[in-house]
Amino acid sequence: TANTVHNFEDLQKPDFDASRAAVIITGPELERLDPVHWERVCTYREAVFARTTPKQKLEIVKAFQARGECVAVTGDGVNDSPALRQADCGIAMGSGSEVSKEAADLIILDDRFTNVVLGVQHGRRCFANLKKVIIYLLPAGSWSEMLPVMTSVFLGMPLALSSFLMIVICCCTDVGPSLAMVYEKPESSIMRAPPRKIGRDHLVTGKLILNAYLFIGMIEAGIAYATFFSYYACQGKYPSDLLLQFGDAPDDLATGQCF
């Protein structure tokens, strides 16, 4: 919470400091703001705009969006419609006008603002759970299955599983855990994170792909290869006997048990 409250005159002082202050700007004062004043207004953690016109509401939204901020606007009247449509998340009241409802992205049916927090939390939970599902399925559902096929084609190794068994394993290991991740409860700190940057924080990023394929995927593939070679080692066959065979596993390996 800010210790002091600034006004329009404070924006023009040479020793301007918005680190521990809030600002209040009225509609007539908004008309007098130049680009330098706008830069200073957008540095406040708390800003109040009073007695503004529909045009000024739209200008406020555009000013913060131009500086890379994620803007949400609440409103219930026709005058709020331009700002609701321009905002990244327009929130209309259930008892508001039809024009504001059509312009908004989210409608609060019972007019309780606490539901806005619940809606943001639910959206962040969905986003986080989808990332968990993606980072689970990418290495397990594609990379760890593609590597054995590639080694079979280029290095002549026998396939450890038939195509049917691979599909059965995929259905058992992918669908169940993925559904569990989708319904996972939100983290306790999910609302402490700042809003995602529009156009930069995507669902699938390069960092996620590198983590899925080059880190998690290589660990899973390494364990799978170690299990594969360990099984054949128990049958008296070593990697030198399996590489560059370009065919099925020898028949004598189908009999016998490792343990």
Side-chain angles (χ1 to χ4, degrees), residues 13-29:
K13 294 180 179 180
D15 57 344
F16 167 79
D17 183 15
S19 59
R20 299 185 59 83
V23 65
I24 298 178
I25 303 295
T26 62
E29 292 172 342

Side-chain angles (χ1 to χ4, degrees), residues 183-220:
Y183 289 99
E184 187 174 353
K185 295 182 179 180
E187 305 290 341
S188 59
S189 60
I190 194 169
M191 295 299 292
R192 299 177 185 174
R196 298 189 302 271
K197 296 297 182 180
I198 302 299
R200 189 169 62 184
D201 295 338
H202 302 289
L203 183 62
V204 179
T205 60
K207 181 179 179 180
L208 184 145
I209 293 176
L210 291 177
N211 185 31
Y213 286 140
L214 299 184
F215 182 69
I216 301 176
M218 295 306 295
I219 293 176
E220 293 180 354

Side-chain angles (χ1 to χ4, degrees), residues 1 4 6 31 46 50 65-66 68 76 107 126-127 132 134 143 204 222 228 239 243 245:
T1 304
T4 58
H6 289 175
E31 300 292 341
E46 302 175 13
Q65 286 179 332
D76 58 358
I107 300 176
C126 292
F127 188 88
K132 294 176 183 178
I134 291 173
W143 188 247
V204 179
F228 175 81
L243 294 175
Q245 296 300 315

Side-chain angles (χ1 to χ4, degrees), residues 109-199:
L109 298 179
D110 57 2
D111 294 355
R112 296 175 60 183
F113 283 98
T114 54
N115 289 338
V116 176
V117 180
L118 296 177
V120 173
Q121 184 184 39
H122 181 69
R124 292 188 175 192
R125 169 176 169 261
C126 292
F127 188 88
N129 289 351
L130 281 175
K131 293 195 74 168
K132 294 176 183 178
V133 171
I134 291 173
I135 203 172
Y136 169 74
L137 290 179
L138 282 181
S142 60
W143 188 247
S144 299
E145 297 173 5
M146 183 174 64
L147 283 179
V149 175
M150 293 177 61
T151 53
S152 176
V153 173
F154 295 104
L155 298 180
M157 285 177 50
L159 289 175
L161 299 173
S162 64
S163 300
F164 175 75
L165 286 178
M166 291 181 66
I167 294 175
V168 172
I169 292 175
C170 283
C171 293
C172 296
T173 61
D174 290 355
V175 177
S178 298
L179 291 176
M181 292 180 184
V182 168
Y183 289 99
E184 187 174 353
K185 295 182 179 180
E187 305 290 341
S188 59
S189 60
I190 194 169
M191 295 299 292
R192 299 177 185 174
R196 298 189 302 271
K197 296 297 182 180
I198 302 299

